[in-house]
Amino acid sequence: MPTHPLATPDPAVLRWVVPDGLLPFAGTVAAAPTALQALMDDGTLAAVEAVPGAVLTLLADGRTWADEGARVRTALVEALGSPQGWRGTEQASAVGPDEALRAAAQEIAAGRVGAFARSHGGTLEVRSVRDGVVEVAMEGACHDCAAAAITMHARFEHLLRRRCPWLAEVREAV
């Protein structure tokens, strides 16, 4: 299972990037497959949270990533192989394909593709996601620019399709 950790502002928290749409909910993890659950039960992990495209792990006080990182990665990769074994708390929300697609689209639009559009005086905004179709608005200098279609399809859609293969279409919002 492809995962890689990213640092967060809190040194006790790692953001593990996982395939979009893998877990069926977003929120605090109440139960996880065996090895990850064991790290939650023995106090290695103070909390685990599922978010679209990532899992956040919070080490318990007195623990370090240097000591625990390999164990957490191994347990997480094993747990991600059984997504049906994950359960969120009552406050967790269901994440279906369109919700995962929206989160990935918004992240890409806020990231390097959006930065590219902004560097040219424009914006790329995700307007709607429904049934696998993402509608984006190209505004500012991007509105009516001949290169906007290239930005929308060759950059934005390409990255989104890599993350969310169930994407049906990207189209410009009217």
mmCIF file of all heavy atoms in Angstrom, residues 124-159:
data_model
loop_
_atom_site.group_PDB
_atom_site.id
_atom_site.type_symbol
_atom_site.label_atom_id
_atom_site.label_comp_id
_atom_site.label_asym_id
_atom_site.label_seq_id
_atom_site.Cartn_x
_atom_site.Cartn_y
_atom_site.Cartn_z
ATOM 1 N N LEU A 124 -8.233 29.294 -10.144
ATOM 2 C CA LEU A 124 -8.908 28.061 -10.507
ATOM 3 C C LEU A 124 -9.680 27.649 -9.266
ATOM 4 O O LEU A 124 -9.089 27.388 -8.232
ATOM 5 C CB LEU A 124 -7.889 26.991 -10.900
ATOM 6 C CG LEU A 124 -8.452 25.685 -11.429
ATOM 7 C CD1 LEU A 124 -7.514 25.099 -12.461
ATOM 8 C CD2 LEU A 124 -8.702 24.695 -10.331
ATOM 9 N N GLU A 125 -11.003 27.631 -9.354
ATOM 10 C CA GLU A 125 -11.844 27.346 -8.197
ATOM 11 C C GLU A 125 -12.748 26.156 -8.487
ATOM 12 O O GLU A 125 -13.417 26.108 -9.524
ATOM 13 C CB GLU A 125 -12.714 28.563 -7.878
ATOM 14 C CG GLU A 125 -13.650 28.362 -6.713
ATOM 15 C CD GLU A 125 -14.592 29.534 -6.513
ATOM 16 O OE1 GLU A 125 -14.236 30.664 -6.865
ATOM 17 O OE2 GLU A 125 -15.705 29.289 -6.018
ATOM 18 N N VAL A 126 -12.762 25.189 -7.565
ATOM 19 C CA VAL A 126 -13.647 24.034 -7.682
ATOM 20 C C VAL A 126 -15.047 24.499 -7.292
ATOM 21 O O VAL A 126 -15.263 24.956 -6.179
ATOM 22 C CB VAL A 126 -13.194 22.876 -6.774
ATOM 23 C CG1 VAL A 126 -14.175 21.709 -6.845
ATOM 24 C CG2 VAL A 126 -11.790 22.426 -7.144
ATOM 25 N N ARG A 127 -15.988 24.407 -8.222
ATOM 26 C CA ARG A 127 -17.358 24.877 -7.974
ATOM 27 C C ARG A 127 -18.292 23.754 -7.546
ATOM 28 O O ARG A 127 -19.127 23.947 -6.683
ATOM 29 C CB ARG A 127 -17.921 25.556 -9.221
ATOM 30 C CG ARG A 127 -17.310 26.895 -9.509
ATOM 31 C CD ARG A 127 -17.978 27.964 -8.638
ATOM 32 N NE ARG A 127 -17.321 29.244 -8.765
ATOM 33 C CZ ARG A 127 -17.632 30.152 -9.673
ATOM 34 N NH1 ARG A 127 -18.572 29.921 -10.558
ATOM 35 N NH2 ARG A 127 -16.980 31.302 -9.696
ATOM 36 N N SER A 128 -18.182 22.593 -8.188
ATOM 37 C CA SER A 128 -19.070 21.492 -7.809
ATOM 38 C C SER A 128 -18.447 20.156 -8.175
ATOM 39 O O SER A 128 -17.581 20.075 -9.056
ATOM 40 C CB SER A 128 -20.439 21.636 -8.485
ATOM 41 O OG SER A 128 -20.341 21.384 -9.867
ATOM 42 N N VAL A 129 -18.908 19.128 -7.476
ATOM 43 C CA VAL A 129 -18.515 17.751 -7.759
ATOM 44 C C VAL A 129 -19.776 16.907 -7.625
ATOM 45 O O VAL A 129 -20.427 16.926 -6.574
ATOM 46 C CB VAL A 129 -17.436 17.247 -6.779
ATOM 47 C CG1 VAL A 129 -17.100 15.786 -7.067
ATOM 48 C CG2 VAL A 129 -16.195 18.114 -6.837
ATOM 49 N N ARG A 130 -20.102 16.213 -8.709
ATOM 50 C CA ARG A 130 -21.299 15.372 -8.677
ATOM 51 C C ARG A 130 -21.147 14.232 -9.667
ATOM 52 O O ARG A 130 -20.823 14.450 -10.832
ATOM 53 C CB ARG A 130 -22.526 16.201 -9.033
ATOM 54 C CG ARG A 130 -23.801 15.416 -8.894
ATOM 55 C CD ARG A 130 -24.992 16.298 -9.068
ATOM 56 N NE ARG A 130 -26.174 15.464 -9.001
ATOM 57 C CZ ARG A 130 -27.368 15.896 -9.223
ATOM 58 N NH1 ARG A 130 -27.565 17.151 -9.522
ATOM 59 N NH2 ARG A 130 -28.372 15.074 -9.151
ATOM 60 N N ASP A 131 -21.383 13.035 -9.172
ATOM 61 C CA ASP A 131 -21.325 11.832 -10.005
ATOM 62 C C ASP A 131 -20.005 11.723 -10.771
ATOM 63 O O ASP A 131 -19.983 11.340 -11.943
ATOM 64 C CB ASP A 131 -22.511 11.793 -10.971
ATOM 65 C CG ASP A 131 -23.846 11.743 -10.250
ATOM 66 O OD1 ASP A 131 -23.905 11.149 -9.152
ATOM 67 O OD2 ASP A 131 -24.824 12.298 -10.777
ATOM 68 N N GLY A 132 -18.914 12.081 -10.117
ATOM 69 C CA GLY A 132 -17.590 11.968 -10.729
ATOM 70 C C GLY A 132 -17.217 13.096 -11.670
ATOM 71 O O GLY A 132 -16.146 13.072 -12.265
ATOM 72 N N VAL A 133 -18.087 14.097 -11.816
ATOM 73 C CA VAL A 133 -17.820 15.243 -12.685
ATOM 74 C C VAL A 133 -17.438 16.436 -11.813
ATOM 75 O O VAL A 133 -18.176 16.806 -10.898
ATOM 76 C CB VAL A 133 -19.051 15.597 -13.551
ATOM 77 C CG1 VAL A 133 -18.787 16.847 -14.378
ATOM 78 C CG2 VAL A 133 -19.410 14.417 -14.447
ATOM 79 N N VAL A 134 -16.285 17.032 -12.104
ATOM 80 C CA VAL A 134 -15.796 18.188 -11.363
ATOM 81 C C VAL A 134 -15.933 19.417 -12.249
ATOM 82 O O VAL A 134 -15.444 19.422 -13.379
ATOM 83 C CB VAL A 134 -14.314 18.002 -10.951
ATOM 84 C CG1 VAL A 134 -13.782 19.237 -10.242
ATOM 85 C CG2 VAL A 134 -14.154 16.770 -10.083
ATOM 86 N N GLU A 135 -16.612 20.430 -11.735
ATOM 87 C CA GLU A 135 -16.733 21.697 -12.455
ATOM 88 C C GLU A 135 -15.835 22.712 -11.778
ATOM 89 O O GLU A 135 -15.881 22.888 -10.560
ATOM 90 C CB GLU A 135 -18.179 22.190 -12.473
ATOM 91 C CG GLU A 135 -19.065 21.337 -13.344
ATOM 92 C CD GLU A 135 -20.435 21.952 -13.578
ATOM 93 O OE1 GLU A 135 -20.759 22.994 -12.962
ATOM 94 O OE2 GLU A 135 -21.178 21.387 -14.388
ATOM 95 N N VAL A 136 -14.991 23.363 -12.599
ATOM 96 C CA VAL A 136 -14.080 24.377 -12.085
ATOM 97 C C VAL A 136 -14.321 25.692 -12.815
ATOM 98 O O VAL A 136 -14.713 25.708 -13.985
ATOM 99 C CB VAL A 136 -12.595 23.963 -12.229
ATOM 100 C CG1 VAL A 136 -12.290 22.726 -11.414
ATOM 101 C CG2 VAL A 136 -12.217 23.729 -13.666
ATOM 102 N N ALA A 137 -14.089 26.769 -12.103
ATOM 103 C CA ALA A 137 -14.194 28.103 -12.697
ATOM 104 C C ALA A 137 -12.786 28.643 -12.879
ATOM 105 O O ALA A 137 -11.977 28.600 -11.955
ATOM 106 C CB ALA A 137 -14.995 29.027 -11.795
ATOM 107 N N MET A 138 -12.508 29.102 -14.065
ATOM 108 C CA MET A 138 -11.238 29.752 -14.378
ATOM 109 C C MET A 138 -11.547 31.248 -14.413
ATOM 110 O O MET A 138 -12.264 31.704 -15.303
ATOM 111 C CB MET A 138 -10.697 29.270 -15.719
ATOM 112 C CG MET A 138 -10.510 27.763 -15.833
ATOM 113 S SD MET A 138 -9.217 27.102 -14.766
ATOM 114 C CE MET A 138 -7.766 27.809 -15.502
ATOM 115 N N GLU A 139 -11.042 31.982 -13.438
ATOM 116 C CA GLU A 139 -11.409 33.390 -13.301
ATOM 117 C C GLU A 139 -10.183 34.286 -13.349
ATOM 118 O O GLU A 139 -9.056 33.819 -13.450
ATOM 119 C CB GLU A 139 -12.186 33.583 -12.000
ATOM 120 C CG GLU A 139 -13.490 32.797 -12.001
ATOM 121 C CD GLU A 139 -14.277 32.935 -10.712
ATOM 122 O OE1 GLU A 139 -13.680 33.258 -9.673
ATOM 123 O OE2 GLU A 139 -15.488 32.698 -10.760
ATOM 124 N N GLY A 140 -10.441 35.587 -13.275
ATOM 125 C CA GLY A 140 -9.365 36.567 -13.362
ATOM 126 C C GLY A 140 -8.753 36.521 -14.748
ATOM 127 O O GLY A 140 -9.466 36.412 -15.745
ATOM 128 N N ALA A 141 -7.435 36.580 -14.805
ATOM 129 C CA ALA A 141 -6.751 36.561 -16.094
ATOM 130 C C ALA A 141 -6.947 35.235 -16.830
ATOM 131 O O ALA A 141 -6.755 35.168 -18.044
ATOM 132 C CB ALA A 141 -5.263 36.846 -15.904
ATOM 133 N N CYS A 142 -7.373 34.190 -16.107
ATOM 134 C CA CYS A 142 -7.600 32.892 -16.750
ATOM 135 C C CYS A 142 -8.912 32.853 -17.529
ATOM 136 O O CYS A 142 -9.068 32.037 -18.425
ATOM 137 C CB CYS A 142 -7.613 31.775 -15.707
ATOM 138 S SG CYS A 142 -6.020 31.466 -14.935
ATOM 139 N N HIS A 143 -9.851 33.731 -17.165
ATOM 140 C CA HIS A 143 -11.139 33.750 -17.853
ATOM 141 C C HIS A 143 -10.928 34.134 -19.317
ATOM 142 O O HIS A 143 -10.328 35.148 -19.628
ATOM 143 C CB HIS A 143 -12.097 34.742 -17.172
ATOM 144 C CG HIS A 143 -13.464 34.730 -17.760
ATOM 145 N ND1 HIS A 143 -14.323 33.671 -17.587
ATOM 146 C CD2 HIS A 143 -14.110 35.623 -18.530
ATOM 147 C CE1 HIS A 143 -15.445 33.927 -18.222
ATOM 148 N NE2 HIS A 143 -15.348 35.103 -18.805
ATOM 149 N N ASP A 144 -11.384 33.314 -20.213
ATOM 150 C CA ASP A 144 -11.260 33.525 -21.661
ATOM 151 C C ASP A 144 -9.821 33.485 -22.177
ATOM 152 O O ASP A 144 -9.556 33.897 -23.302
ATOM 153 C CB ASP A 144 -11.926 34.839 -22.101
ATOM 154 C CG ASP A 144 -13.437 34.780 -21.962
ATOM 155 O OD1 ASP A 144 -13.994 33.659 -22.093
ATOM 156 O OD2 ASP A 144 -14.050 35.835 -21.726
ATOM 157 N N CYS A 145 -8.884 32.991 -21.371
ATOM 158 C CA CYS A 145 -7.498 32.839 -21.841
ATOM 159 C C CYS A 145 -7.394 31.513 -22.588
ATOM 160 O O CYS A 145 -7.886 30.470 -22.128
ATOM 161 C CB CYS A 145 -6.541 32.849 -20.660
ATOM 162 S SG CYS A 145 -4.834 32.458 -21.095
ATOM 163 N N ALA A 146 -6.768 31.534 -23.720
ATOM 164 C CA ALA A 146 -6.623 30.318 -24.532
ATOM 165 C C ALA A 146 -5.853 29.226 -23.785
ATOM 166 O O ALA A 146 -6.116 28.036 -23.972
ATOM 167 C CB ALA A 146 -5.924 30.649 -25.840
ATOM 168 N N ALA A 147 -4.925 29.613 -22.921
ATOM 169 C CA ALA A 147 -4.125 28.631 -22.180
ATOM 170 C C ALA A 147 -4.865 28.058 -20.971
ATOM 171 O O ALA A 147 -4.410 27.085 -20.371
ATOM 172 C CB ALA A 147 -2.818 29.258 -21.738
ATOM 173 N N ALA A 148 -6.010 28.641 -20.614
ATOM 174 C CA ALA A 148 -6.750 28.157 -19.443
ATOM 175 C C ALA A 148 -7.181 26.708 -19.621
ATOM 176 O O ALA A 148 -7.172 25.929 -18.668
ATOM 177 C CB ALA A 148 -7.957 29.049 -19.175
ATOM 178 N N ALA A 149 -7.569 26.329 -20.814
ATOM 179 C CA ALA A 149 -7.976 24.944 -21.063
ATOM 180 C C ALA A 149 -6.812 23.982 -20.828
ATOM 181 O O ALA A 149 -7.000 22.875 -20.320
ATOM 182 C CB ALA A 149 -8.507 24.793 -22.481
ATOM 183 N N ILE A 150 -5.614 24.420 -21.175
ATOM 184 C CA ILE A 150 -4.433 23.586 -20.940
ATOM 185 C C ILE A 150 -4.192 23.438 -19.442
ATOM 186 O O ILE A 150 -3.925 22.341 -18.955
ATOM 187 C CB ILE A 150 -3.194 24.179 -21.649
ATOM 188 C CG1 ILE A 150 -3.406 24.127 -23.159
ATOM 189 C CG2 ILE A 150 -1.925 23.445 -21.237
ATOM 190 C CD1 ILE A 150 -2.387 24.899 -23.958
ATOM 191 N N THR A 151 -4.315 24.548 -18.714
ATOM 192 C CA THR A 151 -4.141 24.491 -17.261
ATOM 193 C C THR A 151 -5.194 23.568 -16.649
ATOM 194 O O THR A 151 -4.882 22.725 -15.811
ATOM 195 C CB THR A 151 -4.250 25.898 -16.643
ATOM 196 O OG1 THR A 151 -3.224 26.717 -17.194
ATOM 197 C CG2 THR A 151 -4.117 25.848 -15.124
ATOM 198 N N MET A 152 -6.444 23.707 -17.087
ATOM 199 C CA MET A 152 -7.531 22.927 -16.510
ATOM 200 C C MET A 152 -7.375 21.438 -16.818
ATOM 201 O O MET A 152 -7.546 20.603 -15.934
ATOM 202 C CB MET A 152 -8.878 23.427 -17.031
ATOM 203 C CG MET A 152 -10.066 22.719 -16.404
ATOM 204 S SD MET A 152 -11.652 23.456 -16.806
ATOM 205 C CE MET A 152 -11.727 23.263 -18.565
ATOM 206 N N HIS A 153 -7.029 21.096 -18.048
ATOM 207 C CA HIS A 153 -6.986 19.680 -18.423
ATOM 208 C C HIS A 153 -5.603 19.054 -18.270
ATOM 209 O O HIS A 153 -5.479 18.011 -17.644
ATOM 210 C CB HIS A 153 -7.515 19.491 -19.849
ATOM 211 C CG HIS A 153 -8.972 19.838 -19.959
ATOM 212 N ND1 HIS A 153 -9.965 19.080 -19.391
ATOM 213 C CD2 HIS A 153 -9.585 20.890 -20.544
ATOM 214 C CE1 HIS A 153 -11.135 19.636 -19.624
ATOM 215 N NE2 HIS A 153 -10.936 20.739 -20.329
ATOM 216 N N ALA A 154 -4.582 19.677 -18.831
ATOM 217 C CA ALA A 154 -3.255 19.060 -18.811
ATOM 218 C C ALA A 154 -2.617 19.108 -17.422
ATOM 219 O O ALA A 154 -1.804 18.249 -17.095
ATOM 220 C CB ALA A 154 -2.332 19.745 -19.822
ATOM 221 N N ARG A 155 -2.983 20.073 -16.628
ATOM 222 C CA ARG A 155 -2.399 20.171 -15.284
ATOM 223 C C ARG A 155 -3.378 19.649 -14.230
ATOM 224 O O ARG A 155 -3.128 18.640 -13.582
ATOM 225 C CB ARG A 155 -1.987 21.605 -14.973
ATOM 226 C CG ARG A 155 -0.839 22.089 -15.824
ATOM 227 C CD ARG A 155 -0.544 23.559 -15.524
ATOM 228 N NE ARG A 155 0.470 24.095 -16.409
ATOM 229 C CZ ARG A 155 1.746 24.245 -16.068
ATOM 230 N NH1 ARG A 155 2.146 23.919 -14.879
ATOM 231 N NH2 ARG A 155 2.609 24.738 -16.929
ATOM 232 N N PHE A 156 -4.488 20.366 -14.042
ATOM 233 C CA PHE A 156 -5.445 20.040 -12.982
ATOM 234 C C PHE A 156 -6.041 18.643 -13.174
ATOM 235 O O PHE A 156 -5.976 17.797 -12.288
ATOM 236 C CB PHE A 156 -6.547 21.107 -12.940
ATOM 237 C CG PHE A 156 -7.610 20.835 -11.927
ATOM 238 C CD1 PHE A 156 -7.392 21.116 -10.590
ATOM 239 C CD2 PHE A 156 -8.827 20.299 -12.307
ATOM 240 C CE1 PHE A 156 -8.378 20.863 -9.640
ATOM 241 C CE2 PHE A 156 -9.820 20.052 -11.369
ATOM 242 C CZ PHE A 156 -9.587 20.333 -10.039
ATOM 243 N N GLU A 157 -6.649 18.392 -14.334
ATOM 244 C CA GLU A 157 -7.304 17.105 -14.561
ATOM 245 C C GLU A 157 -6.308 15.948 -14.513
ATOM 246 O O GLU A 157 -6.609 14.887 -13.957
ATOM 247 C CB GLU A 157 -8.037 17.106 -15.902
ATOM 248 C CG GLU A 157 -8.781 15.805 -16.167
ATOM 249 C CD GLU A 157 -9.579 15.829 -17.464
ATOM 250 O OE1 GLU A 157 -9.671 16.880 -18.124
ATOM 251 O OE2 GLU A 157 -10.133 14.765 -17.802
ATOM 252 N N HIS A 158 -5.131 16.141 -15.060
ATOM 253 C CA HIS A 158 -4.117 15.085 -15.047
ATOM 254 C C HIS A 158 -3.777 14.673 -13.609
ATOM 255 O O HIS A 158 -3.767 13.480 -13.285
ATOM 256 C CB HIS A 158 -2.867 15.560 -15.793
ATOM 257 C CG HIS A 158 -1.721 14.614 -15.684
ATOM 258 N ND1 HIS A 158 -1.668 13.430 -16.388
ATOM 259 C CD2 HIS A 158 -0.589 14.661 -14.934
ATOM 260 C CE1 HIS A 158 -0.549 12.790 -16.075
ATOM 261 N NE2 HIS A 158 0.120 13.513 -15.194
ATOM 262 N N LEU A 159 -3.515 15.662 -12.742
ATOM 263 C CA LEU A 159 -3.183 15.352 -11.345
ATOM 264 C C LEU A 159 -4.372 14.724 -10.620
ATOM 265 O O LEU A 159 -4.205 13.778 -9.846
ATOM 266 C CB LEU A 159 -2.727 16.615 -10.612
ATOM 267 C CG LEU A 159 -1.370 17.163 -11.031
ATOM 268 C CD1 LEU A 159 -1.113 18.506 -10.356
ATOM 269 C CD2 LEU A 159 -0.262 16.171 -10.699
#
